[in-house]
Amino acid sequence: MNSFELHNPTKILFGAGKVKQLAELIEPYGNRILFVYGEGSIKRTGLYDEVLVQLNGIEASVYELSGVEPNPKLSKVNEGIEICKQEKIDFILAVGGGSVIDTGKAIAAGALYNGNVWDFIEYRAVIRDALPVGAVLTLAATGSEMNSGAVITDWDRKLKRSMVSKWLFPKFSILDPKLTLTVSPEQTVNGIIDMMSHVFEQYFSKTTDTPLQERFAESLLLTIIENGEKVITDSKNYEARANLLLAGTYALNGTLSTGVVSDWSSHSIEHELSAYYDIAHGKGLAVIFPNWMKYVYLERVDRFVQYATRVWNIDPVGKSDEQIALEGIEATRTYFKRIGAPTTLRELGVGNEKFDLMTEAAVKFGPIGTFKKLNKADIRSILESSL
Amino acid sequence: MNSFELHNPTKILFGAGKVKQLAELIEPYGNRILFVYGEGSIKRTGLYDEVLVQLNGIEASVYELSGVEPNPKLSKVNEGIEICKQEKIDFILAVGGGSVIDTGKAIAAGALYNGNVWDFIEYRAVIRDALPVGAVLTLAATGSEMNSGAVITDWDRKLKRSMVSKWLFPKFSILDPKLTLTVSPEQTVNGIIDMMSHVFEQYFSKTTDTPLQERFAESLLLTIIENGEKVITDSKNYEARANLLLAGTYALNGTLSTGVVSDWSSHSIEHELSAYYDIAHGKGLAVIFPNWMKYVYLERVDRFVQYATRVWNIDPVGKSDEQIALEGIEATRTYFKRIGAPTTLRELGVGNEKFDLMTEAAVKFGPIGTFKKLNKADIRSILESSL
């Protein structure tokens, strides 16, 4: 195990009806509120009205920033920053999934900075302060509700990138499984893939002697796999939705990465897909991940054997380690297919036309990955095998 | 799963040599320091000197409170509170195991209160503020380094009781596995039992539909069992010590109890043993826990079957649920014995003479336990079967 620091100050309120505590949660921070949300689903479900009732309870001046899309845009972030600066916003309330929360966090950092918020992404500046952010999560997937990262896309330059800072932890996040009962099957599947990918990225590591972190990762995968199937067949299953929601948070709240070197190269490759084709993050990951696994598994066949046997219950008797590992990878692909995720780029309408551009962009700052270092040719191979 | 709130603001610094960051960690809180420690082992290991070097680095005025014993005393807490009030202490630094950290936390609460600190334990007052506390942990066991509780014993009245408040989270805790390499075999075993018991108390729950929390608990047990055996046979095994240290923290930092009703009756019964006989907490738990399990397992045989099969790898084929459950309980006892823990009260020099007093004290505020409510007669049965 490596040395590490662990500090997660986000307060989680988990359970049905927790939105009723919103007013008391926000009040200490002031009452000039930027209310960030997506494309209107919160109006259909009634959550929008509930939030406004809470904000009225503290006589808040509410400024709305709506229309945040998946693969959230830098332009929307800049719009929010403008409002914060002009209206002297005290607090940012993000109500939605990962895109909305990430947008809220990026605005929070940019609002207290005299420069382009993209500077934080390209290391030209360091976040030294941010407006406080609170979140109401409506979708199990992101992990952003309890971590310090935010992923933003600059559409003009086809760049999907992340910023990380301790200032980006939400002050609180409300996780009400009921709010996720109405998530569409498609978005539910994308969320499942996203959170499984987060676990993979911390589990397939070269770091040794981390039995607790490995077992925690396997616990998350087993919980996601079991409860993922349940919600696919019964979307109103509160308990299964609750288990999935909690798993999504733990998949990326720092628990798995303590003392472990993570590898985010599959996420990076997918970010190129999303940036060039605007496909949902979860769909891209469903296609890329099994092919990444197959490309890298010989780097550490023991970890893949452990994955196959503990997570997928592959019977090891009479098989070589390689065989066991490959059966585990195949089980992953089969599961993705079974819950309705795509498994080829073709299904996403993606051909090989932009592979040059995408691989070039992926290695702009050098080879990616720690489990196996991937250069341009490696990434191309993974993309080719994903066609 | 039940609704819950989760908020753990403690910062963990984990790894060899992290004590070198002590000065920078304390500095923001001031430089009038109460330095709390135990009975001198930190002087033998050189840690005492290292801490003083750090405190000199911020030109601290250091007041020492030493001689904190296992089952830490209210009288020592009061001594510390007196120093804090007279010397206008800014920050409490606790260097040691659970007893030392618990003492530091109780002092922190009492220092800002005009009354008897025991009021917090008997609900006559609520903690509304506390001095900041930081910890350097020297023993894997307590969990106190990353939670909001403190257990104190009033020896005059034979009462071992706990206080809990969000104000009692340490600001930071330093976890250096190297500091635990010199822990004696006896204390190492006690620590293993203590942390396994913490897991049991949250795992044997009546709450249903908590697959993630259950698997996290099993992950901790498996990690503790495997690495516990390693450190017993090879006390200088850094990696095994590190895994045990991390497991001890996660066993009681709120992760397992999210959405779950815990049952602390074995701890309560053991507290009576410690209060009347001053035996080490871990030793008492080693004796009590398997007998508590055997007394209550029919309340939820499915959970005990899961425990037996997932944690102890008991082969279920051809056996009734009861048989499987009992084999799991027996495996627990066998493990305790194998690592050198006592399994009968006799070995601890405890007879049945004080059972009346102890059972009376245990139910002073009514029956205990949530998994199975235990009245005086139940507790007596468990104690009798522990002789």
Side-chain angles (χ1 to χ4, degrees), chain A residues 1-16 18 21 146 171 208-213 215-220 222-223 226-227 230 238-240 242-243 246-247 250 253-256 258 310, chain B residues 1-16 18 21 146 171 208-213 215-220 222-223 226-227 230 238-240 242-243 246-247 250 253-256 258 310:
Chain A
M1 191 188 322
N2 297 336
S3 297
F4 66 84
E5 276 191 32
L6 174 67
H7 187 212
N8 192 322
T10 300
K11 179 176 187 166
I12 297 294
L13 293 95
F14 190 104
K18 289 286 183 192
Q21 287 175 250
M146 198 183 181
K171 296 296 177 193
T208 54
D209 262 316
T210 53
L212 185 62
Q213 295 91 325
R215 288 194 189 274
F216 276 175
E218 290 150 3
S219 299
L220 281 160
L222 287 162
T223 303
E226 287 164 11
N227 290 277
K230 283 188 193 168
Y238 177 91
E239 289 295 341
N243 291 324
L246 184 62
Y250 270 100
N253 72 354
T255 305
L256 300 186
T258 53
R310 289 193 189 167
Chain B
M1 191 189 320
N2 297 335
S3 296
F4 66 84
E5 276 191 33
L6 175 67
H7 186 213
N8 193 322
T10 301
K11 180 175 188 167
I12 296 294
L13 293 95
F14 191 103
K18 289 286 184 191
Q21 287 176 251
M146 199 185 180
K171 296 296 175 193
T208 55
D209 262 316
T210 53
L212 186 62
Q213 295 92 324
R215 287 194 189 274
F216 277 175
E218 290 150 4
S219 299
L220 281 161
L222 287 161
T223 303
E226 288 163 12
N227 290 277
K230 283 187 194 167
Y238 177 91
E239 288 294 341
N243 291 323
L246 184 62
Y250 270 100
N253 72 354
T255 305
L256 299 186
T258 54
R310 290 193 188 167

Side-chain angles (χ1 to χ4, degrees), chain A residues 84-140:
Chain A
C84 287
K85 287 183 173 174
Q86 272 180 19
E87 306 298 344
K88 302 199 187 321
I89 294 295
D90 297 317
F91 188 86
I92 298 172
L93 177 65
V95 180
S99 302
V100 171
I101 300 174
D102 284 1
T103 299
K105 287 161 133 185
I107 294 170
L112 301 186
Y113 174 62
N114 285 323
N116 189 334
V117 68
W118 200 262
D119 291 350
F120 298 136
I121 283 175
E122 292 189 348
Y123 310 108
R124 285 190 299 272
V126 171
I127 300 173
R128 295 197 192 283
D129 202 357
L131 284 178
V133 177
V136 179
L137 186 63
T138 60
L139 177 67

